[in-house]
């Protein structure tokens, strides 16, 4: 396996002469799914009703080509904080990783659960989620036109909150 490069199974001399680097898929985090804000069940939607907030802060990764396609290795950095409406010591969140084809259509999607512990004195915490996604490709085909989309799996109310430009915080 070669990390983000490959020779398409050609003999070494031919591979060097025809070397076309095989790129990793593009990773995106849509703004509308980058964060999740949870509210207490009473229905209020101001800062005093927030039980927790979490965000995808960053990611690192790469890919490795093999005979069956490309394996995308991704480390998601998540951060969360406790809100004023709770004293819980942790927050539970669901996030997704989707693979898109060159036309932008989702061809695979997986959801993952994570729990982030809030530190006792600060009420914040973080997590690094280590993931691997496989994209089947013919040998020698680049994954450069494929995509990896990550974000929080939101319910309709959470998504509407994120899309609302008038939110107060």
């Amino acid at each position: 396996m070669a990390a983000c490069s490959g020779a398409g199974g050609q003999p070494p001399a031919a591979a060097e002469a025809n070397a076309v680097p095989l790129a990793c898929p593009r990773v995106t985090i849509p703004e509308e799914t980058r964060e999740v804000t949870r509210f207490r069940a009473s229905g209020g939607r101001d800062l005093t009703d927030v039980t927790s907030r979490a965000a995808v802060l960053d990611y690192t990764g790469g890919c490795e080509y093999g005979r069956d396609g490309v394996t995308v290795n991704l480390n998601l950095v998540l951060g969360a904080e406790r809100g004023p409406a709770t004293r819980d010591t942790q927050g539970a969140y669901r996030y997704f990783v989707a693979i898109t084809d060159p036309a932008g259509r989702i061809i695979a999607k997986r959801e993952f659960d994570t729990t982030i512990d809030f530190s006792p004195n600060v009420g914040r915490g973080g997590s690094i989620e280590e993931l691997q996604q496989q994209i089947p490709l013919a040998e020698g085909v680049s994954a450069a036109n494929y995509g990896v989309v990550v974000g929080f799996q939101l319910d309709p109310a959470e998504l509407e909150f994120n899309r609302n430009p008038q939110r107060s915080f």
Side-chain angles (χ1 to χ4, degrees):
M1 286 192 168
C4 289
S5 65
Q10 300 175 1
E16 289 178 25
N18 299 324
V20 176
L22 298 176
C24 291
R26 180 183 74 263
V27 177
T28 58
I29 307 168
E31 281 301 316
E32 63 189 13
T33 61
R34 181 180 291 271
E35 297 181 0
V36 60
T37 302
R38 300 273 167 77
F39 295 94
R40 70 171 118 207
S42 67
R45 293 291 179 264
D46 65 28
L47 182 59
T48 62
D49 297 308
V50 173
T51 59
S52 72
R53 295 177 70 176
V56 179
L57 302 175
D58 200 3
Y59 68 90
T60 60
C63 65
E64 298 174 349
Y65 280 83
R67 291 182 189 259
D68 297 329
V70 63
T71 301
V72 180
N73 300 301
L74 194 61
N75 294 320
L76 292 180
V77 180
L78 306 178
E81 64 184 353
R82 180 178 47 227
T86 189
R87 289 290 146 228
D88 291 343
T89 59
Q90 57 185 213
Y93 307 97
R94 179 168 279 244
Y95 63 93
F96 68 87
V97 178
I99 306 296
T100 59
D101 68 9
R105 294 180 300 252
I106 294 175
I107 58 173
K109 180 180 173 184
R110 291 179 59 196
E111 295 180 12
F112 302 90
D113 292 310
T114 190
T115 301
I116 298 177
D117 293 325
F118 303 132
S119 63
N121 297 330
V122 181
R124 292 186 180 161
S127 173
I128 297 177
E129 305 290 316
E130 297 178 14
L131 306 165
Q132 279 192 339
Q133 299 292 299
Q134 177 71 29
I135 302 174
L137 297 172
E139 193 168 338
V141 174
S142 175
N145 293 323
Y146 286 77
V148 177
V149 182
V150 299
F152 286 101
Q153 187 64 43
L154 305 174
D155 67 29
E158 292 166 336
L159 185 57
E160 181 60 32
F161 179 80
N162 285 358
R163 289 178 173 166
N164 182 355
Q166 304 300 319
R167 62 183 178 175
S168 60
F169 52 92

